[in-house]
Amino acid sequence: MAKSIQSLQRAAAVLRLLAGGERRLGLSDISSSLGLAKGTAHGILRTLQEEGFVEQDPASGRYQLGAELLRLGNSYLDVHELRSRALVWTDDLARSSGESVHVGVLHLEGVLIVHHVFRPDDSRQVLEVGAMQPLHSTALGKVLAAYDPVARGEAVRGTRERLTARTVTDLEQFEAILELTRSRGWAADVEETWEGVAAVAAPIHDRRRMPVGAIALTGAVERLCEDGEIRPELITAVRECARSVSRDVGAGRF
Amino acid sequence: MSDAQSTGTSSHGTGPFIAAIDQGTTSSRCIVFDVDGRIVAVDQKEHQQIFPKPGWVEHDAKEIWTNVQEVVANAIEKAGITKADVLAIGITNQRETTMLWDKNTGEPVHNAIVWQDTRTSGLVKELGRNVGQDRFRRDTGLPLATYFAGPKARWLLDNVEGLRERAESGDILFGTMDSWVIWNLTGGTDGGVHVTDVTNASRTMLMRLDTLEWDPKICNSIGVPMAMLPQIRSSSEVYGTAKGGPLDGIPVASALGDQQAALFGQCCFDEGEAKSTYGTGTFMLMNTAHKPINSYNGLLTTVGYRIGDEKAVYALEGSIAVTGALVQWMRDQMGLIKTAPEIETLASSVEDNGGAYFVPAFSGLFAPHWDSAARGVIAGLTGYVTKAHIARAVLEATAWQTREISDAMTKDSKVELTSLKVDGGMTANNLLMQTLSNVLDAPVVRPMVAETTCLGAAYAAGLAVGFWPDTAALRANWRRAAEWTPDMDAAKREREYKNWLKAVERTKAWVDDDEN
């Protein structure tokens, strides 16, 4: 019979502790409750945090259950349901902006495109559903990394390859961008992934305020930008679209 | 062109606008569109489904008219506009649903009999006499079946006491829902116009497809007095102006049955262009230009639309009873998925159907087989097959059923399908759309406005009042949101199609006569 792995048993005990009673616990509460050395408990919590099962409140330093854990359970939002909820709103966004629209979710170490609306100019375009995009340089990826600790972990641990002269590869600068994204609620990619292409993205949240995906408007940099910045009306349009989809995602099943 | 489009997001600030009313089977809606065909505001209200007996379905026409007034007022309010900004009103409606009302009081004599209602099954058999269900097909394009309006009117005349006398003395008006809405909109007992359009009239079994006029002989055979029939008009012209209400004085300028409106909204203006709407069931229509094509492969011949004095455009129609309904069945009856979109997740977890084929002949087979004794089968089961393979077979069932209709259309019309325009809820299913393209061996295209039915009614109304100059201007509004291209080798396609047809054979003649 296979031997049980002690660290996993301990991790399970930590999760059970965080799932019951009080919502947030400090390191010493956890270590004393489970009879573990502080260092051991901290190691377990850090690992769980990297996997997204545990989150640490930045102000108090206390721990709580993380986004990934909820995703495992019933709150998991099917990506195909996300697409069907997003359909009407993303059509309208593409139509009003004249640019293409993508919906992306975290998958493995990148962004999986689950929905794509063509740029409405009747030119030949190829459906990009199922394609992967990098986490660290695209607007979709930055939004996911800013709001989803699992995505952030992937982007931080990943190679952050230099794709253009403007790609941010330095960790500190990257973290600053995520901070900025969280504070203003959207992310941009101005020629950081593809030369000549700009994008702006905003997060989709479900009813538990979980980040379940992101919506991006993508197009030629000269159309999307003015003086090197994304045009404000496009930012508003993407955020409004993401809010509408979020509302629909929270509206329950159909 | 791209400059005009990329000026931002506030594109529908100024009018004028077109208001489209969609009087549907489960709800009534009003959508306000701008000159680019974009949605400015929507309002919707459901009405009661009345089931007096098994197989009977009725609607309260008074409730529907109240709801229509409400959704129009709400949509105008949500759009933040006044009637001064609205150039015309367009109508689209559930087809074939039939009602009779008193022209002096405006009171319906009975609930409306809904298209799904099967109470006329005995009557239509009787009407077939020694000829059978094709007795009126050559003149009307339709087989004798319970859906169509003429026999439903006859049922009301036979079953509502004293009605036939009142009808013959000219006090009773017949109409499908377009007629009822237009009559009320234009004043009702105070001068309301009693009209229908060619597309709705083509679903009564009382109109000749060649002359686009009521046929006295057929009316007589079915037992419907011509005195109560509305005037047949084109789909796009000013029938009258709204009297009272929030749109007082605005022209009522189009009427189209819902599927024909979707054909129009999808801009299928050329011969061979086809659209398919994927909902609970599926309706596929192909434009056959100015000739009504008699079907020898179980399709319906119908009027696609007629713009003003121009020649009418005809269509071939094929319907599939169970498409989205099969996904719902997997969710509600089998419990294999929690939500409808999850069917794609489950189906995507395997590469193919594992040898399984699902023919959902739940209430028999429709076009092109027409076997009411058929029942559903899952064929090709082995120990290898998982629920994911079944999910895949569920999606493939919709694709192959579309292929069968498309083949029938090609046989009847001699026109090859070059591409298929799709709309409806199931177009959100990427795997289904790709599978559809693979089995049709043709591109499948989704337009940017999902509300093609309302859009079609708005387009037809806008054309009538000069909001848009011609169909070319409408085509310029059409935007491709997504396109799927075939990605399956021909040998595999043929092999799978053969297997599908084998599975279809196994559904046939399941119900014995004595079980009926």
Side-chain angles (χ1 to χ4, degrees):
Chain A
M1 199 167 144
K3 203 170 141 239
S4 293
I5 298 165
Q6 192 189 36
S7 57
L8 278 178
Q9 285 177 325
R10 285 174 171 171
V14 169
L15 291 176
R16 263 187 226 111
L17 194 64
L18 289 170
E22 289 171 76
R23 280 172 307 192
R24 286 176 181 168
L25 295 170
L27 176 61
S28 49
D29 304 328
I30 294 168
S31 58
S32 61
S33 298
L34 298 176
L36 296 172
K38 265 196 182 174
T40 311
H42 186 248
I44 290 167
L45 283 163
R46 209 184 51 227
T47 310
L48 288 172
Q49 196 180 354
E50 275 168 17
E51 296 299 330
F53 291 135
V54 160
E55 281 168 16
Q56 190 176 20
D57 181 50
S60 64
R62 286 167 170 260
Y63 294 92
Q64 62 185 347
L65 291 182
E68 185 66 11
L69 202 59
L70 295 176
R71 198 183 325 218
L72 289 175
N74 286 333
S75 73
Y76 169 78
L77 181 78
D78 186 274
V79 296
H80 300 112
E81 176 151 12
L82 178 60
R83 184 197 300 130
S84 57
R85 301 271 182 193
L87 203 69
V88 178
W89 304 108
T90 47
D91 272 11
D92 197 57
L93 178 60
R95 180 133 208 179
S96 64
S97 65
E99 303 295 345
S100 66
V101 176
H102 294 84
V103 176
V105 299
L106 175 68
H107 180 68
L108 303 174
E109 290 109 53
V111 182
L112 173 68
I113 302 302
V114 297
H115 183 48
H116 173 199
V117 185
F118 288 172
R119 186 175 63 249
D121 61 3
D122 229 24
S123 62
R124 263 276 169 277
Q125 293 164 71
V126 175
L127 203 60
E128 289 166 20
V129 172
M132 293 291 291
Q133 291 185 1
L135 265 179
H136 67 287
S137 64
T138 59
L140 287 171
K142 288 182 213 174
V143 164
L144 293 174
Y147 287 91
D148 182 340
V150 181
R152 183 186 154 272
E154 298 290 355
V156 164
R157 282 193 301 274
T159 48
R160 293 189 303 284
E161 195 185 333
R162 181 171 297 283
L163 300 164
T164 72
R166 300 181 56 129
T167 312
V168 173
T169 56
D170 173 70
L171 182 57
E172 212 170 298
Q173 276 181 42
F174 180 69
E175 294 272 25
I177 287 171
L178 298 189
E179 188 56 50
L180 176 66
T181 301
R182 273 189 295 271
S183 67
R184 65 185 185 182
W186 56 276
D189 164 6
V190 181
E191 297 191 273
E192 292 161 61
T193 312
W194 301 282
E195 302 282 358
V197 175
V200 53
I204 305 166
H205 295 285
D206 71 3
R207 76 197 92 166
R208 293 186 172 86
R209 300 295 302 160
M210 296 275 302
V212 290
I215 293 179
L217 198 67
T218 306
V221 65
E222 53 274 17
R223 288 199 306 267
L224 260 65
C225 293
E226 228 167 54
D227 306 325
E229 299 284 333
I230 303 279
R231 287 162 45 208
E233 69 270 23
L234 296 178
I235 298 168
T236 309
V238 169
R239 297 188 69 192
E240 269 175 13
C241 179
R243 269 195 293 271
S244 300
V245 177
S246 299
R247 256 199 314 275
D248 259 12
V249 164
R253 290 178 196 168
F254 72 96
Chain B
M1 174 185 170
S2 66
D3 272 345
Q5 276 170 19
S6 58
T7 46
T9 57
S10 57
S11 53
H12 45 65
T14 56
F17 304 100
I18 303 285
I21 296 168
D22 177 3
Q23 201 303 295
T25 306
T26 56
S27 69
S28 301
R29 300 195 300 164
C30 179
I31 301 187
V32 178
F33 289 95
D34 71 7
V35 71
D36 296 326
R38 286 188 59 207
I39 295 172
V40 179
V42 187
D43 197 57
Q44 175 164 0
K45 191 165 186 195
E46 291 193 2
H47 54 261
Q48 205 190 337
Q49 306 293 316
I50 303 161
F51 304 106
K53 288 185 189 181
W56 291 28
V57 191
E58 297 179 354
H59 289 159
D60 176 352
K62 296 279 274 190
E63 180 192 3
I64 283 177
W65 169 238
T66 306
N67 288 359
V68 166
Q69 291 171 282
E70 203 178 307
V71 296
V72 168
N74 288 345
I76 298 299
E77 198 194 315
K78 282 185 189 173
I81 60 176
T82 66
K83 69 177 182 189
D85 303 313
V86 179
L87 224 52
I89 306 166
I91 316 282
T92 178
N93 56 289
Q94 52 170 324
R95 302 179 302 173
E96 299 126 11
T97 296
T98 302
M99 59 175 301
L100 301 180
W101 69 95
D102 187 313
K103 74 171 180 191
N104 307 306
T105 63
E107 288 294 319
V109 301
H110 190 275
N111 279 334
I113 304 180
V114 180
W115 58 276
Q116 302 123 319
D117 188 297
T118 57
R119 77 184 65 186
T120 52
S121 61
L123 180 60
V124 295
K125 233 175 239 156
E126 190 189 309
L127 288 170
R129 289 199 312 203
N130 52 344
V131 187
Q133 64 167 17
D134 286 342
R135 182 176 170 201
F136 304 114
R137 188 193 269 272
R138 213 227 270 260
D139 294 325
T140 67
L142 308 174
L144 271 162
T146 57
Y147 299 108
F148 306 113
K152 290 185 198 289
R154 158 76 182 274
W155 187 94
L156 287 169
L157 293 167
D158 286 352
N159 289 277
V160 179
E161 214 184 301
L163 193 57
R164 185 166 287 280
E165 292 71 40
R166 288 162 71 196
E168 272 159 7
S169 66
D171 289 328
I172 298 297
L173 301 180
F174 158 92
T176 38
M177 298 317 283
D178 54 318
S179 301
W180 172 243
V181 170
I182 293 171
W183 188 79
N184 279 295
L185 259 180
T186 54
T189 52
D190 182 18
V193 295
H194 186 220
V195 296
T196 187
D197 93 298
V198 284
T199 68
N200 278 295
S202 77
R203 316 298 288 196
T204 58
M205 263 196 130
L206 304 173
M207 185 188 80
R208 296 185 64 84
L209 285 174
D210 51 0
T211 62
L212 303 176
E213 283 169 9
W214 303 121
D215 184 312
K217 263 174 72 186
I218 297 174
C219 290
N220 188 46
S221 303
I222 294 184
V224 174
M226 290 184 67
M228 68 180 192
L229 297 179
Q231 192 189 5
I232 301 174
R233 305 279 286 267
S234 81
S235 321
S236 171
E237 63 174 286
V238 176
Y239 310 122
T241 55
K243 203 175 268 183
L247 292 178
D248 183 53
I250 306 303
V252 180
S254 77
L256 292 140
D258 51 12
Q259 297 306 324
Q260 280 89 342
L263 185 76
F264 205 76
Q266 283 272 26
C267 299
C268 295
F269 302 133
D270 287 339
E271 185 172 8
E273 286 191 295
K275 73 89 201 175
S276 198
T277 302
Y278 290 90
T280 310
T282 288
F283 291 90
M284 180 166 167
L285 273 76
M286 180 196 250
N287 180 325
T288 62
H290 302 301
K291 40 187 188 293
I293 289 176
N294 222 332
S295 177
Y296 297 96
N297 293 284
L299 303 172
L300 306 182
T301 310
T302 198
V303 182
Y305 57 88
R306 183 182 186 188
I307 303 170
D309 295 334
E310 293 175 24
K311 281 201 274 184
V313 168
Y314 294 87
L316 279 171
E317 172 174 329
S319 53
I320 310 170
V322 178
T323 50
L326 183 58
V327 176
Q328 288 162 6
W329 182 86
M330 290 285 281
R331 180 192 64 194
D332 302 334
Q333 310 288 98
M334 293 293 105
L336 288 174
I337 45 173
K338 287 205 303 289
T339 66
E342 269 183 44
I343 192 80
E344 187 176 353
T345 313
L346 187 54
S348 302
S349 66
V350 287
E351 290 292 308
D352 56 30
N353 59 22
Y357 299 83
F358 196 152
V359 187
F362 290 172
S363 45
L365 285 169
F366 284 24
H369 306 283
W370 295 107
D371 181 353
S372 57
R375 288 296 179 269
V377 299
I378 304 176
L381 292 180
T382 60
Y384 171 76
V385 169
T386 65
K387 63 180 178 181
H389 294 118
I390 302 288
R392 201 136 185 139
V394 161
L395 296 182
E396 290 176 359
T398 291
W400 287 120
Q401 290 182 96
T402 307
R403 167 74 189 261
E404 289 190 79
I405 300 229
S406 136
D407 282 2
M409 284 180 174
T410 303
K411 272 188 210 150
D412 282 333
S413 69
K414 316 283 182 270
V415 179
E416 287 276 346
L417 185 75
T418 49
S419 81
L420 180 65
K421 293 173 169 179
V422 293
D423 50 66
M426 283 181 102
T427 58
N429 192 313
N430 195 62
L431 179 61
L432 172 62
M433 292 299 112
Q434 183 60 54
T435 308
L436 193 55
S437 173
N438 288 352
V439 310
L440 293 174
D441 195 20
V444 167
V445 184
R446 182 175 80 81
M448 214 153 255
V449 171
E451 304 291 353
T452 52
T453 303
C454 273
L455 185 62
Y459 276 172
L463 281 179
V465 298
F467 189 51
W468 290 288
D470 49 28
T471 52
L474 303 180
R475 228 187 241 291
N477 263 343
W478 194 90
R479 298 272 182 278
R480 187 186 288 116
E483 177 168 358
W484 293 267
T485 49
D487 175 28
M488 185 187 238
D489 72 70
K492 182 167 186 213
R493 181 182 305 116
E494 287 320 302
R495 197 168 61 241
E496 289 292 313
Y497 195 16
K498 216 179 103 206
N499 286 343
W500 164 262
L501 291 172
K502 276 198 294 188
V504 169
E505 283 310 309
R506 278 157 176 79
T507 67
K508 290 184 177 173
W510 176 262
V511 180
D512 292 325
D513 271 346
D514 53 11
E515 285 178 52
N516 272 329

